[in-house]
Amino acid sequence: ASLDGAESALKGWSQRTRRTARNERDRFVVQENHEAAAQIARTYIQSLRRQRHRLPASHERITRLLDALYQRGLARLFTITPSDSSEPSGGLAMLTAGQEAYYWLGGSVPGSSMTVLIGAVLPVLCESGIRTIDYVGANTPSIAEFKRQFGGKLVTYYGVEKYNRPELRMVEHARALRARLYG
């Protein structure tokens, strides 16, 4: 999606999503927080568990990775906290490269907090010179629907994996087939 300016970033959003972001923003505090890696990892893991997805790594490993990416200037870390709480309800790690940002890793409690968070983050990214955002990945129906509401265009891309041992390839193929058949 194009980010030609702070307000134009919201123009491609669905009307309902844009209204939610505007009407709910006063209920939350959004911060760019370089110490938020552990919180973002926690909300990401909670979101994966709610959707019954397999965890890619432990909380500690995800936290270390987020910290390392931030330290190298490759990621920006944001949290959202309800105004009446001290506990974040969501977090987002945006990978950045040149004038591009990538919605890489995020999670939130059910409700409006992630929509509000994205609505608050886009103007910050615009102000820092970011001109496009890639919402990265729409491989499950719920995530695809959520990201569709933010505009942009869906682009098919392919991943390539190489297995050095044939039995590992067979196991992965069986796992993928099972997931496709039984969800």
Side-chain angles (χ1 to χ4, degrees):
S2 176
L3 301 181
D4 294 328
E7 279 304 309
S8 73
L10 305 179
K11 285 183 182 175
W13 290 23
S14 73
Q15 184 177 0
R16 179 175 160 233
T17 302
R18 196 169 44 249
R19 185 174 45 245
T20 298
R22 287 188 175 134
N23 292 345
E24 300 282 322
R25 67 180 164 210
D26 292 339
R27 293 186 42 233
F28 298 95
V29 175
V30 174
Q31 293 181 300
E32 183 166 6
N33 185 348
H34 68 277
E35 297 177 356
Q39 295 168 336
I40 293 170
R42 181 180 48 79
T43 57
Y44 170 67
I45 288 170
Q46 289 170 344
S47 291
L48 288 177
R49 285 185 175 146
R50 265 195 318 278
Q51 297 169 25
R52 297 193 170 126
H53 289 287
R54 185 174 53 105
L55 299 181
S58 69
H59 179 269
E60 295 76 22
R61 283 186 170 190
I62 295 169
T63 300
R64 282 197 315 264
L65 178 59
L66 288 171
D67 278 330
L69 290 169
Y70 173 79
Q71 295 299 328
R72 288 170 177 79
L74 300 172
R76 294 179 69 174
L77 309 178
F78 299 90
T79 58
I80 186 165
T81 306
S83 301
D84 61 355
S85 175
S86 61
E87 186 69 24
S89 59
L92 178 60
M94 299 292 294
L95 299 181
T96 57
Q99 295 183 335
E100 298 178 351
Y102 302 86
Y103 177 121
W104 179 58
L105 190 142
S108 67
V109 298
S112 62
S113 59
M114 186 55 79
T115 299
V116 174
L117 178 57
I118 293 170
V121 165
L122 293 185
V124 172
L125 295 174
C126 284
E127 290 170 11
S128 67
I130 300 294
R131 295 293 168 249
T132 59
I133 181 169
D134 185 335
Y135 288 102
V136 184
N139 55 343
T140 59
S142 62
I143 292 171
E145 177 57 25
F146 176 73
K147 291 181 177 180
R148 183 197 61 75
Q149 298 173 43
F150 297 104
K153 65 178 184 174
L154 188 60
V155 177
T156 301
Y157 63 93
Y158 301 92
V160 176
E161 295 179 2
K162 180 182 181 210
Y163 297 95
N164 291 328
R165 297 177 60 186
E167 61 272 19
L168 293 177
R169 182 172 24 89
M170 292 172 61
V171 168
E172 179 57 26
H173 178 72
R175 186 202 61 78
L177 180 60
R178 184 176 189 273
R180 198 173 6 180
L181 293 174
Y182 302 107

